[in-house]
Amino acid sequence: MALKLFNTLSRSVEEFVPLDPAGKRVGMYCCGPTVYDLAHIGNWRTFVFGDLVRRYLEFKGYSVQHVMNITDLDDKIIRRIRETSTPLREFTARFEGAFFDDLKTLNCRMPHQTPRATEHIPDIVSLIGKLMARGLAYQTPDGSVYFSIEKYRAGGGCYGQLVKLNFDEMRIGERVRNDEYAKEAVADFALWKARVPEDGDVSWPSPWGDGRPGWHIECSAMSMKLLGPSFDLHLGGEDLMFPHHEDEIAQSEGAGVQHHGQPFVKHWLHGAHLLVEGKKMAKSLGNFFTLRDLLAKGFTGRDVRCLLLSAHYRETFNFTLEGLQAARASLTRIDDCLRKLREIAGPARLAENPPLVDQFSAALDDDLNVSAAWAAIFDAARETNRKLAEGAMDAEAAAIALATWEKLDSVLGVGAPPEVEIPAEISALLEARQAARKARDFKRADAVRDELKAKGWVIEDTPKGARVKRL
Ligand code: AMP
Ligand code: ZN
């Protein structure tokens, strides 16, 4: 079945058809973190969503080139390095390192390329040069360079492809220097910001004088450099639609580098926000959890990943610790079922897709309907548990069920349960209990069982013998 995805450009669900004539290669750009602080789990919702898209495309046989930029240069970063008197690279390296550690903890596949803005200044300058040459950018007396929305529109460019904008309110040539602004403040935006004293030593030479790029042009330059002037998928959280992505389209298409009227990006995907008590989880509101906050509470990366993947990406959903607890309980149900299957499974391969794989892909083909995909998995787990309880699961059926789960988990990435190391003392008690049973000393066997229980372990008698598991 064909994959269908909601495209913010057309505001409709469309069949995903890659630009590659062979239909195999897919270029995908995800706007990455601004490394001025630890990412909060709202940010992670968006990054895990990007990972889901990539994994599902790979599951469907596409060869994905996944690029995620590192915004290591923007207004917020400059403000922070000034406040903390830290050199730029030293400051950003700390948060970039933490970002990659968290990416691993959440079992996200590493993007193939993670370009840093500071390492692409020549590409950015060259792109601004193209816009200047085409008359779409202009320099102001302070040396900054702005994108002219009026000229772009006059030349046939469409500004407002992702969001509806009201141009009646707009005053021609009005400018906005900040990288972040509201829709109501639509105005010419900065491509190159002339150096000001507050920038310290963060500046680069350019044909327009010393300065630094605006945030939006960074993504246009890096995405087109690594994926070409037209590529398939561009992702980010819904707040990036305006002005970031709208500005990216204007700059990239304004440069006129696409072939035969092709768009800069074919499919735009935007993930809805993670909320806390009805409000966007955000640093500025102080209502956020970082991944590390949750790990400190005893949760694992897979618990958090499972929660973030529990709702459809276009639905906002409220973060609660109870919700996270429920995600953990769901994973435990799956883990228990898998453990029982492993105990009886023989060797087997999947000759063809079992119905569960088809149900799962039908759900995800439908604009990544994860809720339906999870529902199919939990139905199957219930049925498997029933058969296991009735002894109706043989070695081959168990092996097929396990192989099926591995296949689905290549997309979900909630991983196998960590192997619990059994302390020597506990193993010794288990052996003592077995010996007591063999000697028909049931009183002693029960006493050892109780002792194990007091230490937090229970005995399970399985077809492959007795084993212990954590309470
Ligand atoms: P930033 O590091 O601020 O550039 O944000 C990184 C990504 O997180 C962007 O794609 C944002 O759209 C996204 N984002 C920010 N806040 C939230 C949130 N509360 N829920 C989901 N995504 C978010
Ligand atoms: Zn971006």
Side-chain angles (χ1 to χ4, degrees), residues 153-277:
R153 295 182 74 211
C158 176
Y159 191 74
Q161 295 192 35
L162 299 171
V163 288
K164 284 202 168 46
L165 295 170
N166 179 4
F167 291 100
D168 301 339
E169 303 278 300
M170 187 181 164
R171 276 179 288 173
I172 303 300
E174 197 161 297
R175 288 182 290 274
V176 51
R177 186 180 158 95
N178 283 349
D179 287 331
E180 289 173 70
Y181 49 93
K183 258 195 322 200
E184 296 66 41
V186 55
D188 290 357
F189 53 90
L191 299 170
W192 187 258
K193 302 184 182 192
R195 187 176 175 278
V196 290
E198 299 85 75
D199 288 347
D201 59 0
V202 183
S203 80
W204 287 262
S206 83
W208 315 285
D210 286 359
R212 62 182 172 96
W215 170 40
H216 316 300
I217 195 83
E218 296 175 2
C219 278
S220 285
M222 291 187 283
S223 61
M224 292 200 290
K225 175 171 186 193
L226 297 171
L227 294 170
S230 292
F231 56 92
D232 298 290
L233 289 165
H234 198 315
L235 280 78
E238 60 187 347
D239 57 323
L240 297 193
M241 270 182 227
F242 187 88
H244 188 53
H245 289 162
E246 201 63 60
D247 290 352
E248 274 193 50
I249 297 178
Q251 299 157 151
S252 309
E253 298 192 350
V257 287
Q258 287 76 23
H259 304 289
H260 316 299
Q262 274 185 344
F264 161 50
V265 171
K266 204 170 169 199
H267 289 255
W268 286 91
L269 301 186
H270 290 101
H273 280 149
L274 187 67
L275 307 182
V276 181
E277 285 157 19

Side-chain angles (χ1 to χ4, degrees), residues 105-122:
T105 305
L106 287 169
N107 199 22
C108 293
R109 286 188 182 155
M110 186 65 181
H112 301 100
Q113 280 142 312
T114 51
R116 295 187 188 113
T118 51
E119 289 167 0
H120 289 81
I121 303 292

Side-chain angles (χ1 to χ4, degrees), residues 445-460:
D446 287 351
V448 177
R449 193 195 53 210
D450 292 345
E451 194 180 339
L452 276 167
K453 200 167 172 191
K455 291 183 190 294
W457 297 80
V458 278
I459 298 174
E460 274 190 338

